[in-house]
């Protein structure tokens, strides 16, 4: 199966060499098994005695289906697995909270600028942006990271393009908040110069921006910390998933987010096939062999595990445990 794909540093060894690892992300093209790998890793870590939260930042959640229990309402203990909690992050509540916050700040700003109009139109315009849900998801993810209620957090991310935007937001937000702070300082200075009274007024918007900058700084520090954070890419031995992660690994390096390595999933096991192998399967095996060669060339030294295609669907704790045995062998 994987005889031609040598692994210099396995998943198990990587985690042993990074004992302070606290934030583990899984990403890749859709349909490659990100959720399964994230679930198997979270189960394995919880089995090591570490309080582990498996959280989904994918708007199209599948954790409940994977675990066979509803984990959408909040942090939920996973049945039959001590130290293991799961959570499908719901953006709706965050979006409504953000709308309230934005409405309050816009109303305060309009009052500050002596402009008589309703804030609702501004709020709707701001929250109709397609990226608003990703922003809300990022806020939720940062909330989890900064609260530090668990020993380790495993994130099942959206397909890689979304994950890149999601994790890249710390950098984008940092640039945005610096510009906003500069504008706000200039506006406040001008208002004080034109005011008859020289009394210093509170500025809730400026206070919010300063708090936001601190928060984004903390998030970015965590996301770029090679000791505490690692992003693993999951691929199949097929051309398209390989091309996708090749491109995105470079982008993650640009963001300064540590890449833990590559996991190759759903590889056909020759030994399990026996001697009577249908031609269709032989063709698929030959195709996989060629792409495993490509993986070896492109990601030499970065492959952490080769996980076989199982004879049944990976669903529930027992199958996740079986997957974990292959992932952490």
């Amino acid at each position: 199966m994987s005889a031609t794909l040598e692994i210099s540093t396995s998943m198990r060894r990587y985690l042993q060499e990074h004992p302070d690892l606290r934030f583990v992300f899984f990403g890749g093209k859709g349909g490659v098994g990100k959720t399964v790998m994230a679930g198997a890793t979270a189960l394995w870590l919880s089995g090591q005695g570490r309080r582990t939260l498996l959280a989904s930042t994918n708007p199209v959640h599948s954790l409940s289906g994977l675990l066979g229990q509803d984990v959408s309402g909040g942090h939920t203990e996973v049945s039959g697995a001590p130290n293991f909690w799961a959570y499908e992050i719901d953006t709706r509540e965050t979006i409504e909270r953000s709308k309230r916050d934005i409405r309050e700040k816009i109303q305060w700003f309009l009052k500050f600028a002596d402009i008589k109009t309703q804030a609702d139109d501004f709020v709707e315009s701001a929250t109709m942006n397609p990226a608003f849900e990703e922003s809300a998801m990022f806020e939720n993810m940062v909330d989890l990271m900064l609260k530090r209620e668990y020993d380790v957090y495993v994130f099942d991310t959206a397909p890689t393009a979304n994950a890149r935007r999601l994790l890249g937001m710390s950098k984008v937000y940092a640039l945005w908040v610096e510009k906003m702070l500069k504008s706000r300082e200039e506006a406040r200075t001008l208002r004080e110069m034109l005011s008859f009274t020289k009394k210093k007024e509170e500025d809730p918007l400026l206070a919010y921006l300063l708090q936001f900058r601190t928060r984004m700084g903390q998030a970015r520090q965590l996301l770029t910390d090679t000791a505490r954070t690692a992003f693993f890419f999951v691929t199949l031995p097929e051309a398209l998933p390989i091309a996708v992660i090749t491109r995105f690994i470079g982008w993650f390096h640009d963001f300064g987010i540590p890449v833990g390595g590559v996991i190759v999933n759903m590889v056909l096991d020759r030994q399990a096939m026996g001697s009577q192998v249908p031609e269709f399967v032989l063709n698929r095996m030959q195709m996989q062999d060629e792409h495993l060669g490509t993986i070896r060339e492109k990601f030499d030294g970065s492959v952490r595990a080769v996980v076989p295609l199982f004879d049944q669907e990976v669903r529930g704790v027992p199958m996740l445990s079986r997957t974990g045995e292959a992932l952490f062998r």
Side-chain angles (χ1 to χ4, degrees), residues 1-2 4 237-238 266-293 309:
M1 173 187 63
S2 58
T4 60
E238 296 178 7
M266 299 186 196
V267 178
L268 294 170
D269 188 345
R270 287 181 186 278
Q271 295 178 348
M273 296 291 175
S275 56
Q276 303 297 320
V277 182
E279 185 177 354
F280 171 81
V281 179
L282 285 173
N283 288 338
R284 296 292 300 185
M285 292 171 67
Q286 183 179 353
M287 178 203 74
Q288 288 199 348
D289 284 346
E290 292 173 2
H291 290 305
L292 286 172
L309 176 66

Side-chain angles (χ1 to χ4, degrees), residues 56-57 87 89-95 97 133-147 155 166 215:
S56 169
T57 63
Y87 176 35
I89 299 175
D90 185 359
T91 58
R92 289 173 300 180
E93 183 182 340
T94 305
I95 287 174
R97 188 174 68 239
E133 185 171 3
E134 283 178 354
S135 300
M137 190 67 78
F138 182 77
E139 286 286 302
N140 276 320
M141 187 186 79
V142 171
D143 272 345
L144 291 177
M145 296 175 73
L146 296 182
K147 282 181 180 174
F155 289 100
L166 185 74
R215 182 176 157 82

